[in-house]
Amino acid sequence: MSSMAISARGKVREEGPARLGELLERNPYMYEIYPSEASREALTVFKMHEGAGEWFGLSAKPIDRASFAFGGAISDSHGYVVDAACCIGCGSCVPVCPQQCIALTDGVAAIDQSHCLHCGRCLNTCPVEAIERRWARMEVWMKACNLTGISLQA
């Protein structure tokens, strides 16, 4: 059996109830939740017209993940990264990763972002704080507002 998850965020607009029948036909279980015409009167259809997110393939281990964007949005690049200048190569982050996506190469840890769950176990284990959580949009905002010296922690 194949399992996947999608996380998306963006701008939406109300499309109204015109396509509600089509959506209910594609998702027949919704008739159990909203069994009568009266119960469906509160429903409307929204369309996300600009946004970004991540796709997760959960059927295999390690998981697969990919970022996407549509409607002119820019894909977020966030997650945990290793500062190679600070990493002492102790390897304490490697065994705590549930996806086994951290490897030591030439004495420096590296995180394979295509499999990372962003759980933060590596961050919490590193004795020298060489692992950082990156928030792409927040970093851009902080730079634009000249807010330097502020630390974002997971």
Side-chain angles (χ1 to χ4, degrees), residues 61-63 65 80 82 93-105 109-119 122:
K61 190 167 183 182
I63 60 134
R65 88 176 311 126
Y80 293 88
V82 178
C93 55
V94 175
V96 299
C97 178
Q99 295 297 310
Q100 293 86 46
C101 64
I102 304 175
L104 288 176
T105 305
I111 301 171
D112 180 352
Q113 296 298 319
S114 66
H115 300 299
C116 179
L117 287 174
H118 299 172
C119 68
C122 56

Side-chain angles (χ1 to χ4, degrees), residues 60-110:
K61 190 167 183 182
I63 60 134
D64 286 321
R65 88 176 311 126
S67 296
F68 62 89
F70 56 94
I74 297 172
S75 181
D76 287 345
S77 60
H78 61 278
Y80 293 88
V81 294
V82 178
D83 182 342
C86 294
C87 181
I88 60 173
C90 68
S92 65
C93 55
V94 175
V96 299
C97 178
Q99 295 297 310
Q100 293 86 46
C101 64
I102 304 175
L104 288 176
T105 305
D106 297 325
V108 176

Side-chain angles (χ1 to χ4, degrees), residues 8-29:
R9 59 215 157 267
K11 297 178 182 177
V12 297
R13 68 175 145 247
E14 186 175 358
E15 297 284 307
R19 296 189 60 202
L20 189 57
E22 177 186 342
L23 292 175
L24 290 169
E25 290 301 318
R26 287 185 177 189
N27 302 281
Y29 67 90

Side-chain angles (χ1 to χ4, degrees), residues 3 13 20-21 25 29 32-33 40 43 45 47 82 88 97 103 110 114 118 126 134 139 147 149:
S3 296
R13 68 175 145 247
L20 189 57
E25 290 301 318
Y29 67 90
E32 295 175 26
I33 300 169
R40 292 190 286 271
L43 300 178
V45 177
K47 178 181 180 181
V82 178
I88 60 173
C97 178
S114 66
H118 299 172
C126 182
R134 295 287 169 95
E139 288 175 355
L147 296 174

